[in-house]
Amino acid sequence: MSFQSLYCAAFDGLSAKEVEVEVSFTKALPSFQVTGLAGNAIQESKQRVQSALMANDFKFPPLKITINLSPSDLPKQGSFYDLPIALLVAMYGRNNIKDSINNEKPKKYFAFGELGLDGRIKDTKAIYPLIFSLLSDEKNLDSIFFLPMESKDFYCQIPNLKAYFVDTLSEAIEILQTSPTIVNIIQELPFSYMDICSERYYYSDNFELDFIDIVGQIRAKRAALIAACGFHNILFEGSAGSGKSMIATRMPYILPPLRRNEILHNASHNLIITPNRPFRNPHNSATKAAILGSAVGHSVKFGEISLAHNGVLFFDELPHFPKSILESLREPLENHYFVISRLCTKVKTPSDFMFIGAMNPCPCGNLLSISKECRCSKREIDSYRGKISEPIWDRIDLCVQMQEGDSNKDRISSKEIQKQILDAFKFQKNRGQKCYNSRLIGESLEEFCKLDDECISVLDKAIARFGISLRQKNKILKVARTIADLAGSDNIHKEHLAESISYRKIS
């Protein structure tokens, strides 16, 4: 009996777990079996592997071939197991796999790829997130990967990746036998960037949707600028057609720049390397599982709040979302993660997004209209607004009423807004701040949001007059800090605090 092994991976929750692919050849009736909780796609790989090997002049020995995927209690799915299975079978009767770097300590060889019937190696959407997760663990930094050549430019963006990129199965077999030197050059991201404190931040200056299209709405655009700069949650309230959705859909293009690792993390969901942040806009008929995510066994299905990580989650017609969904947003809006708990699974999913809400002022939408009469009773209006609970209101940093019939024709482009945000972002980083203003807590909040005596007096009067909660008070301070950053001020002054208070919830 001969025996060798390679490695692949499977998701266990959100983390990639190594899967050792083992092969044995035993004297028995000829057969080809795959064990280890292999899903349908893996069971079907036997036909693809056999065809690919025969296309490369491999003759199957008259033996029983057993492939085992270990650990055997972890469910596995995916056609990317084709390549390691084929390589192990192809190595039958050949020399053992050589170490690729000067015969030092043995390296782990990972192989990912779907096989065509002619031996071509194809990419699949499941490979990238697995590799990104594996290389987040220091123990895999010396590992060597076999990956599809067709996606070389995509995978070469991942730091610390040591890989052979192959087009065909025969190329992979030859590399296992000869172990040529690996030359992997991490490609620079082809985006605009700024260097701050020895770190590079990337952004896009291509605005598919531009603020220049929005006429008037000076206050709403100012609030959008503040929200984007500090990554604050914001709610727009106004009549139908006043521009709420227009502003919301343009905000992802002006948000602060991203680090390389954040861009690569976002690519795990959409398989696109871009400095544009994700924008998720679920309909109010979406199910709770679609919004929050779900888990079945070891498999996690991301919801909208996780797909919006590092980006924007936009709820249009906010009061029409089911109350159970709105109340479930409390945890991710406050803690920036969400825990999916099921019978045998508990997974903590990252959900650090900027929340944008839009709503009408009343059920008919005409309460703030200057040309139409509202048909709603006070009871109906109270019931409509009451669908959003006080804890949810508490988690919204800025509330803005749209101005219908705004005669001001002033316009500002997204490029101009972005410049202000980039300058403020650089200002924040240069003072040693590691997070967005909206994420300041504890000692960081006290350090960067100090108030002088005059500001303390103004804030105390506002708290007494409007019944502001402690959470609202902290949000007022954070928004004031962002306003001061946009003004290039080291300290929060009275005018910054007053503007911040003006964006509180309107009762």
Side-chain angles (χ1 to χ4, degrees), residues 51 96 139 192-193 204-205 210 214 249 335 372 409 429 507:
S51 177
N96 289 335
K139 70 179 182 180
S192 301
Y193 63 86
S204 173
D205 48 14
D210 200 310
I214 302 172
T249 53
N335 302 323
K372 298 179 182 179
K409 303 299 182 183
K429 293 300 178 182
S507 300

Side-chain angles (χ1 to χ4, degrees), residues 161-180:
L161 176 66
K162 300 180 179 68
Y164 294 112
F165 294 95
V166 288
D167 269 323
T168 63
L169 177 60
S170 59
E171 289 181 25
I173 294 171
E174 183 180 354
I175 289 172
L176 276 180
Q177 292 181 298
T178 60
S179 297

